[in-house]
């Protein structure tokens, strides 16, 4: 017998036979359920559908589904949504913000009030797709060679757009935080842009969910002490709290 989640999945598959993609919000309205319900359906029911940059797409029709980022898109969804609400409170009128890659960034972008005018700098496809729906956002895409595994653009040997911009805030994502090994991620090709954004930005904000603490990944981003603020979904272990206090790093959770 067909369950309600599977019925909704089948309805989405029918919709995507006639279009390349459908925005998550539009799909929720069409199926008269919440966006979170659809995310849970996609996470719990095996299918060829994924969410990328706020859109539902069929991976059987799009090579875009092979990105590494798609493997992470529907993990820790509630944590990401909670973090996004926290982060959105720190976005002010006329901010110039660097949005890192990673699956938390579209949640943050979607949570930003549509009435806020701001400039966004990005280098990932999922952030770009989410930013285009912000009516008062000026988008600057740092272009270059496209990397399909994590859906980012890496600059060629010449200069990139970030060379001429000084953001007042940089939202940096990571896959691991460790007191000895620092802040790390999976992909080495992300490092140049992350590190340049941190160097150029007035305020460096690390955005991670609780599963990233006490994790070490292959690519080293920086020492924890280079960040001004950490925004996460749960209070980390006491050793991290003490470290943040000792190094004047603001902790928001």
């Amino acid at each position: 017998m067909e369950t309600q989640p599977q019925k909704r999945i089948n309805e989405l598959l029918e919709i995507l036979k006639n279009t390349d993609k459908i925005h998550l919000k539009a799909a929720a309205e069409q199926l008269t359920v919440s966006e979170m319900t659809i995310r849970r359906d996609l996470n719990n029911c095996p299918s060829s559908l994924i969410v990328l940059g706020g859109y539902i797409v069929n991976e059987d029709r799009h090579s875009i589904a092979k990105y590494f980022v798609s493997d992470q898109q529907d993990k820790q969804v509630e944590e990401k949504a909670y973090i996004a609400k926290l982060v959105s409170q720190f976005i002010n009128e006329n901010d110039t913000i660097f949005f890192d890659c990673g699956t938390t960034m579209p949640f943050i972008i979607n949570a930003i009030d549509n009435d806020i005018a701001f400039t966004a700098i990005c280098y990932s496809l999922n952030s770009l797709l989410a930013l285009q729906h912000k009516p008062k956002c000026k988008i600057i895409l740092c272009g270059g060679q496209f990397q399909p595994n994590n859906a980012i653009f890496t600059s060629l040997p010449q200069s990139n757009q970030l060379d001429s911009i000084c953001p007042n805030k940089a939202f940096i994502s990571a896959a691991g935080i460790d007191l000895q090994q620092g802040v790390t991620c999976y992909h080495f090709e992300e490092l140049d842009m992350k590190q340049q954004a941190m160097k150029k930005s007035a305020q460096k904000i690390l955005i991670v969910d609780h599963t990233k603490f006490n994790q070490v990944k292959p690519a080293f981003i920086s020492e924890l002490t280079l960040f001004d603020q950490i925004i996460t979904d749960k209070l980390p272990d006491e050793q991290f709290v003490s470290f943040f206090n000792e190094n004047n790093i603001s902790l928001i959770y």
Side-chain angles (χ1 to χ4, degrees):
M1 183 177 178
E2 187 180 54
T3 64
Q4 284 299 317
Q6 190 59 58
K7 181 180 178 181
R8 288 191 288 266
I9 294 291
N10 290 337
E11 288 183 32
L12 289 171
L13 286 167
E14 285 299 316
I15 293 170
L16 290 172
K17 285 182 179 179
N18 300 313
T19 184
D20 287 339
K21 61 186 179 181
I22 180 171
H23 198 274
L24 184 61
K25 182 177 180 180
E29 292 174 351
Q30 193 160 337
L31 299 182
T32 64
V33 295
S34 68
E35 294 179 32
M36 190 64 71
T37 295
I38 293 182
R39 287 186 180 276
R40 289 198 186 101
D41 290 347
L42 296 177
N43 196 37
N44 296 329
C45 300
S47 75
S48 58
L49 303 182
I50 63 166
V51 179
L52 182 63
Y55 287 90
I56 301 172
V57 298
N58 190 332
E59 66 178 343
D60 288 342
R61 297 180 61 188
H62 298 270
S63 61
I64 201 169
K66 304 306 179 184
Y67 304 156
F68 168 80
V69 71
S70 69
D71 297 333
Q72 305 296 320
Q73 186 74 36
D74 292 313
K75 295 181 179 180
Q76 285 81 50
V77 168
E78 294 184 6
E79 291 88 341
K80 293 171 184 175
Y82 179 76
I83 290 171
K85 290 181 181 179
L86 291 178
V87 176
S88 66
Q89 300 173 26
F90 294 92
I91 298 172
N92 302 313
E93 189 81 8
N94 298 320
D95 269 347
T96 298
I97 303 170
F98 173 85
F99 290 90
D100 201 357
C101 61
T103 54
T104 303
M105 293 299 152
F107 285 83
I108 294 171
I109 294 164
N110 290 335
I112 299 172
D113 191 321
N114 284 341
D115 290 331
I116 294 178
F118 66 102
T119 298
I121 308 156
C122 68
Y123 70 114
S124 66
L125 183 61
N126 59 345
S127 292
L128 175 63
L129 290 174
L131 286 165
Q132 67 177 335
H133 296 287
K134 294 289 135 177
K136 294 189 176 182
C137 175
K138 179 189 296 183
I139 305 171
I140 300 173
L141 175 65
C142 297
Q145 182 179 357
F146 185 67
Q147 306 291 340
N149 58 346
N150 48 354
I152 67 172
F153 296 88
T154 54
S155 61
L156 297 173
Q158 62 267 30
S159 62
N160 65 57
Q161 286 78 5
L162 197 52
D163 292 335
S164 304
I165 307 170
C166 291
N168 59 307
K169 295 170 185 171
F171 294 147
I172 304 296
S173 62
I177 305 175
D178 183 83
L179 292 179
Q180 282 72 46
Q181 299 295 331
V183 183
T184 54
C185 63
Y186 286 99
H187 299 288
F188 292 96
E189 62 263 25
E190 297 175 13
L191 295 180
D192 285 345
M193 197 65 74
K194 290 176 187 285
Q195 292 167 353
Q196 185 177 4
M198 291 177 63
K199 182 178 179 181
K200 302 269 292 191
S201 297
Q203 189 176 12
K204 293 162 276 294
I205 303 171
L206 180 61
I207 298 171
V208 289
D209 66 69
H210 70 277
T211 65
K212 308 304 190 298
F213 287 88
N214 291 310
Q215 297 290 318
V216 178
K217 302 307 175 186
F220 176 73
I221 300 171
S222 78
E223 300 291 349
L224 261 173
T225 52
L226 292 185
F227 288 93
D228 303 298
Q229 190 173 70
I230 312 290
I231 301 181
T232 186
D233 61 305
K234 291 183 180 180
L235 180 67
D237 294 342
E238 180 58 35
Q239 58 180 341
F240 282 99
V241 175
S242 297
F243 181 89
F244 297 152
N245 288 334
E246 292 168 3
N247 290 278
N248 296 317
I249 301 171
S250 172
L251 174 64
I252 306 293
Y253 63 94

